[in-house]
């Protein structure tokens, strides 16, 4: 008998295979976090142990060293084709959070990603976002079209009723594909526990603190926690009442900050 994790896994694998059959020149955005790491595990299940498309990491140069070390080690173990993109022009010009967090995110992440897509001609990207993560992501579709500038028309999206996915778009459309959109934070941790997925060590408590969401060093803070194992994190999540991204400074910058970023192509 299937449990809820089996059902989520089956649907995610179906989405991977449907996207791979339908679209050419795909890649997967890899943020190094728990969600995209879980997504890679699902992709390897969908394609019998291999990852048949590149992993793209947009390096802002502000990531924690533990994240980069974990990324490189795991990419090697997965035998993945890891593409690391940067907005070199903005970095050389001194872009950073002191210029404004939203300005920095757009320059180093959105424009950095856009440069990678342009350079490699990717027609679509897999992303490990979830509806319960924050408000603008709750408005997303599993197969989400972007225009030629990668901009998202969140007020004019194709319907996806009863899991009937629309995969027919204009030739010049860029597609964002979200295989774990319907998962919750707790689902992800339960799946990590069941599948014994190795994740970045920053998620586990050290000296009374741990990261619940990973991002750039100047904009991401840890939470107070003694959860130093997957089992303890799952128990902690059952009682936590604070938002998952409460420690991400760019989300708090102004009203609808994340929606404004994502409408312009942010991940």
């Amino acid at each position: 008998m299937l449990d809820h994790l089996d059902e989520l896994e089956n649907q995610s694998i179906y989405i991977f295979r449907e996207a791979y059959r339908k679209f050419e020149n795909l890649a997967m955005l890899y943020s190094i976090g728990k969600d995209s790491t879980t997504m890679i595990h699902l992709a390897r299940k969908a394609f019998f142990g291999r990852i048949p498309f590149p992993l793209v990491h947009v390096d802002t140069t502000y990531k924690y060293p533990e994240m980069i070390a974990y990324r490189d080690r795991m990419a090697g173990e997965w035998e993945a084709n890891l593409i690391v993109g940067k907005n070199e022009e903005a970095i050389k010009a001194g872009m950073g959070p002191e210029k404004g967090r939203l300005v920095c995110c757009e320059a180093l992440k959105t424009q950095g990603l856009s440069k990678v897509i342009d350079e490699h001609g990717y027609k679509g990207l897999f992303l490990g976002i979830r509806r319960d993560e924050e408000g603008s992501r709750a408005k997303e579709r599993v197969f989400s079209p972007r225009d030629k500038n990668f901009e998202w028309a969140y007020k004019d999206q194709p319907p996806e009723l009863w899991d009937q996915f629309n995969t027919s778009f204009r030739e010049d459309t860029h597609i964002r594909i979200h295989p774990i959109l319907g998962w919750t934070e707790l689902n992800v941790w339960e799946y990590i526990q069941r599948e014994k997925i190795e994740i970045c060590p920053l998620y586990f408590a050290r000296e009374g603190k741990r990261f619940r969401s990973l991002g750039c060093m100047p904009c991401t803070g840890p939470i107070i926690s003694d959860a130093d194992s997957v089992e303890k994190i799952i128990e902690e999540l059952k009682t936590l009442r604070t938002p998952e991204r409460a420690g991400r400074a760019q989300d708090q910058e102004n009203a609808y900050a994340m929606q404004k970023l994502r409408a312009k192509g942010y991940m």
Side-chain angles (χ1 to χ4, degrees):
M1 183 175 179
L2 296 179
D3 66 13
H4 68 294
L5 292 180
D6 292 325
E7 292 176 356
L8 289 168
E9 179 188 78
N10 288 346
Q11 185 180 58
S12 296
I13 287 174
Y14 170 78
I15 292 166
F16 269 116
R17 290 174 175 168
E18 186 69 6
Y20 192 66
R21 181 188 69 83
K22 183 71 179 182
F23 304 109
E24 296 180 351
N25 202 11
L26 293 168
M28 180 188 290
L29 193 66
Y30 184 44
S31 71
I32 317 176
K34 63 186 185 304
D35 301 313
S36 57
T37 302
T38 296
M39 192 170 62
I40 289 172
H41 183 83
L42 289 161
R44 295 177 74 216
K45 278 202 169 187
F47 301 107
F48 308 103
R50 68 189 184 97
I51 309 171
F53 28 72
L55 303 183
V56 172
H57 177 67
V58 179
D59 190 352
T60 63
T61 70
Y62 285 102
K63 300 298 183 186
Y64 288 89
E66 293 96 326
M67 294 174 66
I68 301 301
Y70 169 83
R71 178 199 70 186
D72 293 342
R73 180 169 61 81
M74 296 308 296
E77 289 188 15
W78 296 324
E79 298 181 346
N81 177 15
L82 177 65
I83 306 291
V84 178
K86 295 179 183 176
N87 187 348
E88 298 280 6
E89 185 177 330
I91 293 168
K92 287 178 182 174
M95 178 55 69
E98 66 279 0
K99 307 287 186 185
R101 297 184 193 282
L102 300 187
V103 172
C104 183
C105 276
E106 182 175 356
L108 299 187
K109 292 184 179 179
T110 306
Q111 293 178 22
L113 176 60
S114 178
K115 288 176 183 293
V116 176
I117 293 172
D118 280 340
E119 181 180 350
H120 294 274
Y122 296 131
K123 299 291 288 183
L125 279 181
F126 294 101
L127 283 86
I129 68 165
R130 293 178 285 103
R131 286 198 179 99
D132 77 329
E133 216 173 335
E134 55 84 27
S136 69
R137 289 180 168 100
K139 301 174 182 177
E140 268 289 5
R141 302 291 189 265
V142 172
F143 289 86
S144 181
R146 262 57 173 174
D147 68 13
K148 62 182 179 181
N149 297 317
F150 314 123
E151 294 185 356
W152 177 41
Y154 55 87
K155 293 182 179 179
D156 182 25
Q157 301 187 78
E160 286 184 340
L161 303 176
W162 299 287
D163 292 338
Q164 298 298 304
F165 304 126
N166 177 17
T167 58
S168 297
F169 301 102
R170 289 173 30 166
E171 183 64 25
D172 61 351
T173 304
H174 172 74
I175 301 297
R176 299 283 176 91
I177 306 145
H178 306 123
I180 63 169
L181 190 62
W183 294 49
T184 67
E185 183 184 13
L186 184 59
N187 293 152
V188 169
W189 280 106
E190 290 173 335
Y191 191 71
I192 288 169
Q193 180 186 45
R194 187 182 89 170
E195 301 291 311
K196 298 180 173 57
I197 300 170
E198 181 177 348
I199 59 167
C200 183
L202 289 174
Y203 283 109
F204 300 109
R206 287 180 292 187
E207 299 178 350
K209 293 182 179 179
R210 75 173 187 89
F211 288 86
R212 191 175 170 193
S213 178
L214 295 182
C216 293
M217 286 186 284
C219 298
T220 308
I223 63 170
I224 304 297
S225 172
D226 292 318
D228 57 2
S229 68
V230 174
E231 292 74 17
K232 291 179 181 178
I233 290 172
I234 289 172
E235 289 306 309
E236 182 182 76
L237 287 177
K238 292 177 180 176
T239 58
L240 273 179
R241 294 294 179 265
T242 53
E244 180 178 356
R245 292 176 64 93
R248 302 290 289 272
Q250 70 269 40
D251 290 31
Q252 326 304 325
E253 192 74 357
N254 60 40
Y256 304 109
M258 186 55 67
Q259 183 164 290
K260 292 172 184 173
L261 280 172
R262 300 194 74 249
K264 294 181 179 180
Y266 188 82
M267 47 288 285

